Amino acid sequence: MSETDGLLDRYEGSLLGVFGRPTLVLEHGDGCWVWDVDGVPYLDLLGGIAVNALGHNHPDLVAALSAQVARQIHISNFFTSRPQIALAERLMNLAGAPDGSRVFFTNSGTEALEAAIKLARRTGRPGIVAMDGAFHGRSTGALALTAKPAYREPFEPLLPGVRRVPYADLPALERALTPDVGAVVLEPIQGEAGVIVPPADYLRGVRELTADRGVLMILDEVQTGIGRTGRWFAFQDSGIRPDAMTLAKGLGGGIPIGALVTFGGAVSGLLAPGMHGSTFGGNPLAATAGLTILDVIARDDLLANARRVGDGFADAVRALGHPLVTEVRGRGLLRAIGLAGDFAAKAAASAREAGFLVNAVTPNALRIAPPLIISAKKIAAFVDALGDILDATASEHS
Ligand SMILES: *Cc1c(COP(=O)(O)O)cnc(C)c1O
């Protein structure tokens, strides 16, 4: 029996079964590569689901975190630290947030959404409009905004007052904005729905409708933020500014940290002293991770790299002209390969056998969200192998 099988048996005997049996036991990483416990290398094109922005064991992150571990890890939110303040300032600056904007730090995307829900409730109008296909997390509040019935139904009734409209449908949104609605929550590109990019003018349309009705526009940038789509935040492609946004995944490069950014004094003032809190949120270690990630993305111009390598990947997959590929969606280094049937799980398994980590984001789409440091050459190795991977899947499939 391999190391892997033995460890996975122990996993199943000890971990709650919510994730099913994992496919690999990973031991270490370096850049865009990871190795399993049997010594098998994989090119990591998933990046811990859009988390490992700098890949694995990036020297700057290792150095900054090592120094911070030796200095101070945690202090509670009765106190603050230089990295926490600097990270909040940096995020507001990168987001072009106006005077009066503020940041609340959390430990995950879900918790950032919980803070956003409390912000929305403070408008005094309990209704929240969320989107079909949306994913906002699994805690009971965030789950009320998440669309997938299989995630929601075992736990209903959830938070009341949430109503759902089709994504990228402005007339439907307009009809849903009744006087009891305080906020609209949406992803600028829907990640878990399969990397769904709305039409170019959609976010602007949402901005106009919500501004007109005095409704908060809350963007969930947990997956799209921190350079993933080739901008610091995906909304920056549409020339609008939301009232609030949530961040997490790429922000800490793997150290748990999330954030709610509130834009402008009126929105920030909705959450007054005592109205929210967190023990760990924004502790000096996590904040140092966030600062280092932002520093390296800026220094190494990884936004441009994400655009260039991501566009090159999409063009190359299209150029393959493989009959099982229906389309390539996404922006920057958040991409999905649409497949001509529900065999994405099998395709992800054959990719793994060929040494590439990708995921079946939906039954008929493969997602890649690799480290932002990835080179065109590395990703080209996957494109070169993709034809064989899909052919293997198809022969198994038929
Ligand atoms: C992953 C994700 C979340 C949840 O984040 P967690 O860190 O898993 O709690 C929320 N919203 C979006 C858009 C996500 O992709």
Side-chain angles (χ1 to χ4, degrees), residues 49 107-113 135-138 142 146 187 189-192 220-224 246 248-249 257 367:
I49 316 183
N107 311 290
S108 67
T110 300
E111 286 173 71
L113 265 297
F135 184 80
H136 298 296
R138 309 278 208 124
T146 290
E187 298 155 89
I189 292 174
Q190 288 191 319
E192 297 307 304
D220 182 351
E221 293 250 16
V222 166
Q223 189 158 158
T224 51
T246 52
K249 291 198 165 86
I257 183 168
R367 170 174 50 186

Side-chain angles (χ1 to χ4, degrees), residues 106-179:
T106 68
N107 311 290
S108 67
T110 300
E111 286 173 71
L113 265 297
E114 292 295 325
I117 291 169
K118 288 176 81 171
L119 187 78
R121 278 289 170 97
R122 290 285 301 147
T123 61
R125 285 165 280 145
I128 300 178
V129 177
M131 300 293 150
D132 286 345
F135 184 80
H136 298 296
R138 309 278 208 124
S139 65
T140 53
L143 187 57
L145 303 180
T146 290
K148 201 170 175 174
Y151 292 172
R152 304 163 44 80
E153 280 168 3
F155 308 101
E156 287 176 344
L158 295 165
L159 188 75
V162 178
R163 98 189 42 151
R164 210 168 292 286
V165 298
Y167 190 59
D169 183 340
L170 288 171
L173 177 61
E174 185 166 18
R175 286 193 296 277
L177 292 182
T178 49

Side-chain angles (χ1 to χ4, degrees), residues 310-351:
D311 287 345
F313 168 79
D315 289 344
V317 174
R318 287 181 194 118
L320 272 183
H322 197 284
L324 295 180
V325 173
T326 56
E327 61 171 343
V328 186
R329 302 188 287 266
R331 196 180 294 156
L333 284 171
L334 181 61
R335 299 281 176 170
I337 301 172
L339 302 175
D342 287 352
F343 50 85
K346 279 186 177 167
S350 7

Side-chain angles (χ1 to χ4, degrees), residues 5-388:
D5 291 334
L7 283 164
L8 288 179
D9 288 348
R10 283 172 56 197
Y11 176 100
E12 289 196 304
S14 55
L15 277 292
L16 198 64
V18 292
F19 298 107
R21 186 176 167 103
T23 50
L24 297 173
V25 187
L26 295 175
E27 184 142 73
H28 68 111
D30 183 18
C32 295
W33 294 92
V34 290
W35 282 262
D36 73 10
V37 288
D38 292 308
V40 180
Y42 300 88
L43 186 63
D44 183 5
L45 298 175
L46 191 56
I49 316 183
V51 167
N52 296 87
L54 304 184
H56 301 271
N57 303 359
H58 191 283
D60 291 278
L61 191 58
V62 170
L65 289 177
S66 303
Q68 188 59 42
V69 163
R71 195 180 294 129
Q72 187 175 63
I73 295 173
H74 176 79
I75 53 177
S76 91
N77 282 306
F78 290 124
F79 311 104
T80 185
S81 64
R82 282 183 219 275
Q84 183 182 63
I85 297 163
L87 181 59
E89 290 172 345
R90 185 83 63 81
L91 286 172
M92 290 191 295
N93 185 272
L94 295 174
D99 283 354
S101 300
R102 295 289 186 269
V103 178
F104 176 82
F105 287 117
T106 68
N107 311 290
S108 67
T110 300
E111 286 173 71
L113 265 297
E114 292 295 325
I117 291 169
K118 288 176 81 171
L119 187 78
R121 278 289 170 97
R122 290 285 301 147
T123 61
R125 285 165 280 145
I128 300 178
V129 177
M131 300 293 150
D132 286 345
F135 184 80
H136 298 296
R138 309 278 208 124
S139 65
T140 53
L143 187 57
L145 303 180
T146 290
K148 201 170 175 174
Y151 292 172
R152 304 163 44 80
E153 280 168 3
F155 308 101
E156 287 176 344
L158 295 165
L159 188 75
V162 178
R163 98 189 42 151
R164 210 168 292 286
V165 298
Y167 190 59
D169 183 340
L170 288 171
L173 177 61
E174 185 166 18
R175 286 193 296 277
L177 292 182
T178 49
D180 61 315
V181 170
V184 175
V185 179
L186 75 162
E187 298 155 89
I189 292 174
Q190 288 191 319
E192 297 307 304
V195 190
I196 307 298
V197 183
D201 54 356
Y202 176 59
L203 289 186
R204 178 171 294 281
V206 174
R207 179 66 287 183
E208 282 165 8
L209 280 176
T210 49
D212 184 56
R213 306 293 172 88
V215 168
L216 297 181
M217 177 178 179
I218 301 175
L219 279 180
D220 182 351
E221 293 250 16
V222 166
Q223 189 158 158
T224 51
I226 318 297
R228 177 57 45 195
T229 69
R231 305 272 175 217
W232 286 107
F233 310 104
F235 77 80
Q236 291 170 325
D237 265 321
S238 50
I240 57 126
R241 206 157 64 191
D243 297 304
M245 74 170 163
T246 52
L247 300 170
K249 291 198 165 86
L251 178 56
I255 298 293
I257 183 168
L260 173 73
V261 182
T262 53
F263 287 67
V267 179
S268 304
L270 291 172
L271 287 173
M275 284 187 174
H276 200 41
S278 168
T279 296
F280 296 121
N283 79 24
L285 185 69
T288 296
L291 273 175
T292 308
I293 298 288
L294 298 178
D295 278 344
V296 175
I297 290 175
R299 184 196 70 196
D300 296 349
D301 203 3
L302 297 181
L303 301 183
N305 192 62
R307 290 195 293 271
R308 188 171 56 240
V309 176
D311 287 345
F313 168 79
D315 289 344
V317 174
R318 287 181 194 118
L320 272 183
H322 197 284
L324 295 180
V325 173
T326 56
E327 61 171 343
V328 186
R329 302 188 287 266
R331 196 180 294 156
L333 284 171
L334 181 61
R335 299 281 176 170
I337 301 172
L339 302 175
D342 287 352
F343 50 85
K346 279 186 177 167
S350 7
R352 195 164 58 244
E353 269 156 43
F356 302 97
L357 301 187
V358 298
N359 101 301
V361 63
T362 65
N364 66 359
L366 288 177
R367 170 174 50 186
I368 69 148
L372 303 181
I373 58 170
I374 198 164
S375 65
K377 193 170 158 223
K378 281 205 183 67
I379 227 168
F382 173 63
V383 179
D384 287 345
L386 186 60
D388 285 347

